[in-house]
Amino acid sequence: MTPPPPYQPGHALLADRTAVVTAAAGAGIGGATARRLLEEGARVVVGDAHARRLAECTAALTAEFGPERVAGLPCDVTDEAQVAALLDLAERRHGRLDVVVNNAGLGGTAELTEMTDAQWGKVLDVTLNGTFRCTRAALRRMKASGTGGVIVNNASVAGWRAQAGQAHYAAAKAGVMALTRCAAVEAAAYGVRVNAVSPSLAMHPHLVKVTTPGVLEELTAREAFGRPAEPWEVANVIVFLASGYSSYMTGEVVPVSSQHA
């Protein structure tokens, strides 16, 4: 197993930018992304459907980065009004909206023949429809502002790769990829870039709770480094896509993976 590299310091890549991150509470990719954006100089508004975890996350980030740079609001991405309220908060506090990271997603395991309509619909509504709602709301605001912006969606290698028991999740993530490409074409005329990351396996406590050890071992064995990604390693790529270093990239789905060919 190759150990993770040293944690990279910030380089002010997003100084004076305002960013929104959905599903940002906790120790997963969303939480790591919120922290990395702050370390790169951004002002960050975080949303999450779990109010208690969100309050804890917001309090911790505020204590470290200051109340003028951190705000949080409960947001269930299946509720269009809550999505609008989250983006409105960013504009109201900071007068602009530069970056939106659509991280919210929901998984689960069920064989297709045993999967209910409710199981299918719930995963699609959070993972794909939620990304659609947030992207639509962000594009409307960015288009009206005339100052451009960046949207980064969180897809998954599951959108490319077949895995038993994951038909709903894989279909949703493949949809996120297609949504990203189509939105990018429509948004380019307004100076808005839309890209996605496609992680293979990023280890965090919630994943451990919802995935069996056998599946995690199998997925880890596919990685060339012999280990899962740290959430902040995925967040680094999200920061890159949010920054000016990726200024000519739009409509791209960028794998964050060390998988064997």
Side-chain angles (χ1 to χ4, degrees):
M1 178 187 296
T2 303
Y7 192 86
Q8 298 299 307
H11 294 84
L13 297 182
L14 295 164
D16 199 37
R17 303 289 181 86
T18 298
V20 171
V21 185
T22 64
I29 293 171
T33 298
R35 173 171 292 278
R36 290 303 284 154
L37 291 168
L38 286 161
E39 290 169 345
E40 294 293 347
R43 299 174 295 260
V44 176
V45 176
V46 293
D48 200 284
H50 300 275
R52 178 187 58 79
R53 290 194 325 198
L54 176 66
E56 293 171 353
C57 167
T58 303
L61 293 175
T62 298
E64 186 171 351
F65 296 98
E68 70 284 352
R69 293 183 57 202
V70 180
L73 188 70
C75 179
D76 179 347
V77 298
T78 67
D79 186 324
E80 186 172 357
Q82 292 188 39
V83 170
L86 183 67
L87 301 187
D88 287 345
L89 175 60
E91 290 189 313
R92 189 167 64 250
R93 279 179 63 100
H94 304 298
R96 58 189 296 164
L97 179 64
D98 301 294
V99 177
V100 173
V101 179
N102 293 319
N103 175 66
L106 180 68
T109 301
E111 293 291 327
L112 193 60
T113 54
E114 305 302 321
M115 190 180 295
T116 65
D117 283 5
Q119 287 174 306
W120 174 271
K122 187 174 183 180
V123 170
L124 267 288
D125 200 22
V126 173
T127 307
L128 177 55
N129 297 347
T131 301
F132 157 69
R133 291 184 191 98
C134 294
T135 299
R136 179 178 60 186
L139 281 178
R140 286 173 173 170
R141 288 161 174 77
M142 291 173 176
K143 177 181 176 180
S145 75
T147 58
V150 180
I151 298 170
V152 184
N153 297 324
N154 191 359
S156 168
V157 295
W160 289 313
R161 183 185 68 198
Q163 185 175 328
Q166 297 292 307
H168 46 2
Y169 183 71
K173 289 300 189 179
V176 169
M177 294 177 181
L179 170 65
T180 297
R181 291 188 286 265
C182 292
V185 172
E186 295 184 16
Y190 309 107
V192 178
R193 298 188 296 108
V194 188
N195 292 293
V197 294
S198 179
S200 54
L201 180 64
M203 190 61 68
H204 53 85
H206 181 67
L207 181 64
V208 174
K209 291 179 182 178
V210 300
T211 310
T212 65
V215 169
L216 289 177
E217 289 175 8
E218 176 189 348
L219 294 176
T220 300
R222 298 183 184 183
E223 300 293 327
F225 289 137
R227 65 170 178 87
E230 298 292 328
W232 59 264
E233 291 180 292
V234 180
N236 284 347
V237 182
I238 293 173
V239 165
F240 163 72
L241 291 174
S243 77
Y245 280 130
S246 60
S247 60
Y248 197 68
M249 293 178 65
T250 198
E252 297 295 338
V253 180
V254 181
V256 187
S257 170
S258 73
Q259 291 191 95
H260 294 286

